[in-house]
Amino acid sequence: MGVLGKVIVFDDKAGLVSFVTRKWQGICAESLDKRGCMTAALSGGNTPVDIYRAFALCDFPWGNIQIFQVDERFVPKDGKDSNYRMIRETLLDVVLMPEKNIHVVDTSWSSPDEAAKAYEKELAGFFRLQRGRFPRFDIIMLGLGEDGHTASLFPGSSLFDDTDHLAQAVMLDSKRHDRITLTLPVINHARHIIFFVQGAHKAFALKKIVEEKDTTLPAARINPVDGELLFVADREAARLLTENTYTRGEP
Ligand code: 6PG
């Protein structure tokens, strides 16, 4: 049975971070060569912190890179749980990213729904989209939750079949916060989708997704229309995978 996407497993975090950084560099060169800029959507959470810190140490053409968010918690932008705050502290402030290149979810709106509408307008404006069209990001960076969620698409979500929006509000609980997320078709229209998965606690979800393609798990619904899907995992996250479903990454 084929796997969903390509899975590369690294013995340690350093190898994983180094690979993703090289991958970003390659996609950046390709995007600038073909389109003069690279559009990237970044996820939040903990896993990408070291990846973004590594990006910040590289001499990428930041003036030609446009940064968007995959999702955001509906919290103040300086709040401890803000994805924007994490991305700004680990990357944007370090590389002095031009403010005009930063397109984030504005959580100062009165509700998640208003914030989602404003973000959708930002997306449609930047990508000059006609109604019914989707942006085609050069790269979208995704994390994976233990429950198989990705972005802020959670199991049981009613958003799975939403093809009418670019961004949507997700009403959750106070612990996870209400969210704003890119919708599934926006993610699936990207040229390169990279999941980064670390830790034994993600192993069960990763197996269900890449080997069993269990679409009750949102991450199993990530399937690019015309692009690359790559899972980059550490050994602990890959411990339940069948040997022949992944390749070992070079350090
Ligand atoms: C968020 C993220 C979310 C994240 C996963 C994994 O806002 O939390 O966008 O989708 O990628 O929950 O989070 P960790 O990397 O912290 O395990």
Side-chain angles (χ1 to χ4, degrees), residues 18-232:
S18 169
F19 174 84
V20 175
T21 303
R22 291 197 306 274
K23 192 72 188 165
W24 174 282
Q25 200 156 24
I27 293 168
C28 187
E30 170 200 288
S31 307
L32 264 63
D33 181 48
K34 290 183 180 171
R35 290 171 293 279
C37 88
M38 177 170 89
T39 54
L42 305 183
S43 278
N46 301 311
T47 306
V49 167
D50 289 337
I51 294 173
Y52 300 161
R53 284 187 176 137
F55 287 175
L57 299 176
C58 297
D59 182 24
F60 293 146
W62 296 107
N64 298 99
I65 296 175
Q66 299 287 335
I67 295 289
F68 292 77
Q69 285 188 270
V70 168
D71 65 339
E72 182 56 281
R73 296 86 179 271
F74 192 67
V75 297
K77 65 182 182 181
D78 59 356
K80 67 176 176 58
D81 290 341
S82 164
N83 287 338
Y84 168 73
R85 175 176 166 179
M86 181 274 285
I87 296 168
R88 186 161 271 286
E89 289 176 349
T90 55
L91 179 61
L92 304 181
D93 283 350
V94 180
V95 302
L96 305 177
M97 178 69 88
E99 287 304 318
K100 66 178 175 54
N101 292 32
I102 303 172
H103 313 268
V104 293
V105 176
D106 179 355
T107 56
S108 65
W109 284 92
S110 57
S111 71
D113 198 49
E114 290 300 309
K117 286 187 171 64
Y119 192 45
E120 186 165 60
K121 204 169 169 186
E122 171 86 10
L123 287 159
F126 178 83
F127 285 96
R128 297 194 182 94
L129 296 177
Q130 292 164 3
R131 182 148 183 75
R133 309 285 293 175
F134 297 102
R136 186 158 163 70
F137 280 97
D138 292 305
I139 183 168
I140 293 187
M141 305 277 284
L142 294 177
L144 177 65
E146 278 184 72
D147 60 359
H149 84 259
T150 191
S152 285
L153 300 168
F154 287 83
S157 168
S158 58
L159 294 184
F160 291 163
D161 301 319
D162 183 340
T163 56
D164 297 326
H165 296 91
L166 306 180
Q168 273 282 32
V170 181
M171 310 313 277
L172 294 170
D173 45 54
S174 56
K175 181 169 181 289
R176 292 180 297 176
H177 303 294
D178 293 337
R179 308 278 187 103
I180 293 87
T181 187
L182 291 181
T183 55
L184 208 48
V186 171
I187 297 171
N188 282 335
H189 273 73
R191 291 185 177 88
H192 301 273
I193 302 171
I194 301 180
F195 275 93
F196 32 79
V197 191
Q198 279 185 283
H201 60 307
K202 306 285 180 78
F204 182 72
L206 187 62
K207 184 177 183 71
K208 295 283 282 179
I209 289 154
V210 299
E211 289 186 6
E212 300 173 24
K213 302 188 196 98
D214 177 354
T215 53
T216 64
L217 303 185
R221 292 172 179 259
I222 302 300
N223 199 354
V225 172
D226 174 17
E228 175 189 35
L229 175 60
L230 183 58
F231 291 83
V232 182

